[in-house]
Amino acid sequence: MTGDGGARTALRIRAFAAGAAASTVLAGLAVRAFMDGDLAKYAGDALYAVLICALVAVIAPGARPAVTAGTGLVFSWAVELLQLTGVPAELSRHSTVARLVLGSTFNAPDLLWYAVGAGFAWAVTDLAASASDRSKAR
């Protein structure tokens, strides 16, 4: 992104991504408040990946949607695999924030639901980028 138009575009992308991150957190809180069982757990996993993708877009607004989603997915998988070490479980015993960010117990199906969330984030950002490209072409 170059010039003033590039800075405005980056700012617009960051604002949209920050709004998406905030909306994702609200959706996660709603899931925890109104749902339970496996549906709530796996919806939470997917939303976690969506949140990470949105935060990646805030940090790197010029990244292609596939890169944003891929980065969010790899980060989510890395956190889940870290749970195999027991470090997140120990940290979670002492910190609510650590429990929310790192979890505590490895669960293989979580890996699939992170992919679902990252795929959703990719689709939304790709559609938004395509719509933006079409409007610029006019």
Side-chain angles (χ1 to χ4, degrees), residues 77-122:
W77 279 352
V79 168
E80 188 68 26
L81 294 172
L82 180 66
Q83 292 171 356
L84 291 169
T85 69
V87 171
E90 181 61 29
L91 293 172
S92 293
R93 280 193 271 281
H94 304 289
S95 168
T96 301
V97 173
R99 185 171 33 86
L100 291 172
V101 174
L102 300 175
S104 61
T105 307
F106 176 79
N107 185 31
D110 292 354
L111 299 171
L112 168 68
W113 291 102
Y114 294 139
V116 169
F120 176 79
W122 170 80

Side-chain angles (χ1 to χ4, degrees), residues 24 46-47 50 69 114-126:
T24 302
L47 288 168
V50 170
Y114 294 139
V116 169
F120 176 79
W122 170 80
V124 169
T125 55
D126 191 54

